[in-house]
Amino acid sequence: MRDGRRRLVDEELPRLRMPVGPLENLQSLFSDPVSDVWLEIGFGAGEHLIHQAEANPHIGFIGAEPFINGVARVLAEAEKKSLHNIRIHDDDARPLLERLPAASIGRVFLLFSDPWPKTRHHKRRFVNAANLDALARILKPGGEFRFASDDAGFVRWALAATLAHDGFDWTAKGPADWRERPPDAIATRYETKALTEGRNCVYLRFQRNGSAPGPTPKKA
């Protein structure tokens, strides 16, 4: 890691890292007032997270990513662009989901996460009943869950699992809705690589409906 990014990790990450313990008012995490809070799970190199934060200065963004190189890139871009609406969870996202308040998140992004293509590894895929329960609990009614992947098997898995969950409705009206990237999004480096190599990318959007939320979070 370059010295500049190491400095950011040492100096800026402690300031922007999500706090330990119960989370009650997510808007209070940000220095400037925000009207909503969105979450990106596994932001990778952070291109999409930075784009969304820059395009939506009145939205607070929580980015979850366990790999330090991706975290360092986001810290560098946030400093360069003077973004004050980003907080970082530099670890696995699942413990964070347990601590987030119910109906506190307006949008969740899961973009090009590891598809775990081997059958014996399918249980490691992030989209499963337990994690969908967690997303249904933290999303506001009418909130959106966005999923994208270039792995056809993972797409079928995610679509089937989310449609089987009582808390989500698929918003697609026609093929363009899953074949075309949402107009307010940009391509991540993983998506760009997939397209360059000739793989099809699929973009699924689900809305949190009015059914009962999932289980309550565990005590910190």
Side-chain angles (χ1 to χ4, degrees):
M1 184 181 299
R2 297 176 180 176
D3 291 343
R5 288 183 176 174
R6 172 55 64 186
R7 176 190 63 79
L8 288 170
V9 169
D10 292 341
E11 298 178 5
E12 290 298 301
L13 181 55
R15 184 176 66 84
L16 297 181
R17 180 181 279 133
M18 290 291 290
V20 176
L23 298 169
E24 297 179 358
N25 181 4
L26 297 186
Q27 281 83 356
S28 68
L29 297 174
F30 304 93
S31 57
D32 297 334
V34 297
S35 60
D36 200 2
V37 178
W38 296 355
L39 169 67
E40 182 163 350
I41 298 171
F43 58 72
E47 302 95 344
H48 179 267
L49 178 65
I50 291 294
H51 167 76
Q52 290 286 356
E54 190 174 19
N56 300 281
H58 300 299
I59 302 293
F61 287 84
I62 299 173
E65 174 59 59
F67 295 106
I68 196 63
N69 286 339
V71 170
R73 289 189 181 99
V74 163
L75 293 173
E77 286 298 305
E79 182 179 63
K80 177 182 177 181
K81 298 176 182 295
S82 299
L83 300 177
H84 303 290
N85 57 337
I86 293 177
R87 297 299 294 266
I88 302 294
H89 176 74
D90 55 321
D91 205 341
D92 186 278
R94 284 164 290 193
L96 173 66
L97 298 182
E98 295 176 353
R99 296 194 298 120
L100 292 173
S104 62
I105 300 293
R107 189 174 294 179
V108 174
F109 304 93
L110 182 71
L111 309 177
F112 299 91
S113 63
D114 194 330
W116 296 106
K118 295 181 179 179
T119 302
R120 67 177 183 274
H121 293 155
H122 284 181
K123 62 184 178 182
R124 300 183 184 181
R125 289 173 168 173
F126 187 87
V127 180
N128 58 41
N131 288 337
L132 288 171
D133 280 346
L135 296 185
R137 186 187 67 80
I138 66 172
L139 274 168
K140 298 176 179 179
E144 188 176 18
F145 169 41
R146 292 189 182 182
F147 169 92
S149 179
D150 63 308
D151 185 282
F154 191 22
V155 169
R156 290 191 293 269
W157 170 289
L159 181 59
T162 311
L163 288 177
H165 194 284
D166 291 339
F168 296 96
D169 297 322
W170 190 21
T171 62
K173 304 299 182 184
D177 291 324
W178 65 80
R179 292 175 178 169
E180 298 176 6
R181 184 187 315 113
D184 62 341
I186 64 167
T188 69
R189 66 176 53 191
Y190 302 105
E191 178 182 354
T192 300
K193 179 181 179 182
L195 293 171
T196 300
E197 294 176 355
R199 296 192 297 276
N200 293 324
C201 295
V202 175
Y203 313 90
L204 304 178
R205 302 169 69 172
F206 303 93
Q207 188 173 49
R208 178 69 172 95
N209 60 34
S211 67
T216 56
K218 297 177 182 178
K219 296 290 185 180

